[in-house]
Structures are given as structure tokens and as C-alpha cells.
Amino acid sequence: MNNSVTNTVRLLGAGLRALFVLTLVTGVIYPLVITGIAQGLFNDKANGSEIKAEGKVVGSSLIGQSYNLPLKEGQETPEPDLKWFQGRPQNGLGTNSVNTQYKLILSGATNRSGDSEELIQWVKDAKAAVVKDNSTADHKVKPSDVPADAVTSSGSGLDPNISPEYAQIQVHRVAEKNGLLAEQVQKLVDEHTEGRTLGFIGEPRVNVLELNIALKKLAAKS
């Protein structure tokens, strides 16, 4: 009986020591080492790929933002603020109806098939709006000029980037709304156009938030 109790105590002690060591290694040391490596080598990415303007964090380069006017009385959908470059449509975003204590955005796709009549109508309406919004007195946008990303949302609904083609058709409208020359705004687009990753992965892109930050600075100087 005494031997049995002694063995049990020994086993219990060995188990507690193993638990302590594993907790220390996997719960403290390993996370600290990985965090240290991440902060040292990938500081920007480890902290959420933050974008700062005027010394403040204004967003992430990985998450798209909306540039809309305040809702008017009776409106359910805000109108775009056309002084800014606009991102992709966000039809996939849902509304939080469970935890209403916080104003949350639910990311997601539209989940419509390619032949969905509703999706087709969305695309037609979006194309008409892009043509109308971006046509100015001295520059007319043709329906054939509108790229796919201007009328379709991404899988997450929060794509932070647009194609250079979509940015370029917004140049004249943005210039007019901000009292700038189209050449000045086009230069901003060119400066913020990124090529394919490693030269062959993905497509050229323009980060909308970074572009609008640069636009705000340029407009303030003019």
C-alpha cells in the first residue's frame, strides 16, 4: 500500500514537472522568441501593416476603407465622396445583428453565381455609376474603359487595392473635385502603382488608402 502511494506521488510529481516545463517552453519561451523574431525582422507586418498619416495610424495596407459622404436623412446607402479615389464595390459586407454593442463590419463575398440576375444587375448598375461619376466636362469615360475590379467586389469585400486602370479613369474626376491638374493626379497614381510580386505573381495594383493620403497632402499644398 505504501509503495503504491509512493509511486503515485512520484508519478504525480513527474507529471507536474512535465506540465511546468511544457508550459514554460511552449507557453512562454516559444511565443516570446517568435514574437521577438517577428518584431525584429518583420516589424511592419507583425503589427498589422499599419499606415500612418500625420503621426497617427489611419488604417492597414491590407484592409480597404470606404470613402463615403455622411448618410442623409432617409438614406440607407451612403453616396461615395467623389473627391477621393474609390475602392472596389463592397457588396459582400454584412451587418452585425448579434453583438450590437459594437459597430462591426462582417467581411464576406456576395455568394452569387456568375449567371445570377441580381449579380448581373449589380454589375450593370455599378458600370453605369462609374461612367457617370468619372466623366467630367473635358473627359468622358466609355463603358469599355471600365475594368472588372471597378464593378465587382473581392472575396473578402475588403480588398485594399484597385487596378491601375481603375485608378486612371478616376484621375480627371479627382483632379476636378480637388482643384488640381490631371497631370498632378496622374503622377500620384504612377508613383503608387506597384508591380507584380517578384515580377510574376498577381497583378499590378494601387493601394487606395496610401493613394488618398498622398492626394490629401497634394491638395493641401495647392
Side-chain angles (χ1 to χ4, degrees), residues 102-123:
Y102 302 100
K103 188 175 182 180
L104 304 176
I105 293 177
L106 305 183
S107 171
T110 60
N111 292 325
R112 301 293 191 277
S113 64
D115 60 354
S116 164
E117 292 185 4
E118 185 177 19
L119 177 61
I120 293 171
Q121 191 59 51
W122 281 349
V123 171

Side-chain angles (χ1 to χ4, degrees), residues 139-212:
H139 179 79
K140 300 300 180 184
V141 175
K142 298 179 292 184
S144 59
D145 296 332
V146 180
D149 63 304
V151 296
T152 56
S153 61
S154 63
S156 68
L158 293 171
D159 191 343
N161 304 314
I162 57 175
S163 66
E165 292 78 16
Y166 186 24
Q168 285 164 6
I169 66 173
Q170 300 185 60
V171 164
H172 286 81
R173 180 255 297 165
V174 168
E176 182 179 79
K177 295 289 184 181
N178 288 278
L180 300 169
L181 297 175
E183 291 77 10
Q184 292 176 291
V185 180
Q186 181 63 56
K187 183 180 178 183
L188 285 184
V189 172
D190 294 340
E191 292 173 346
H192 288 81
T193 298
E194 301 177 48
R196 292 180 172 87
T197 303
L198 300 179
F200 67 95
I201 300 175
E203 296 294 331
R205 58 201 178 276
V206 181
N207 187 283
V208 179
L209 175 56
E210 293 177 349
L211 180 58
N212 278 331

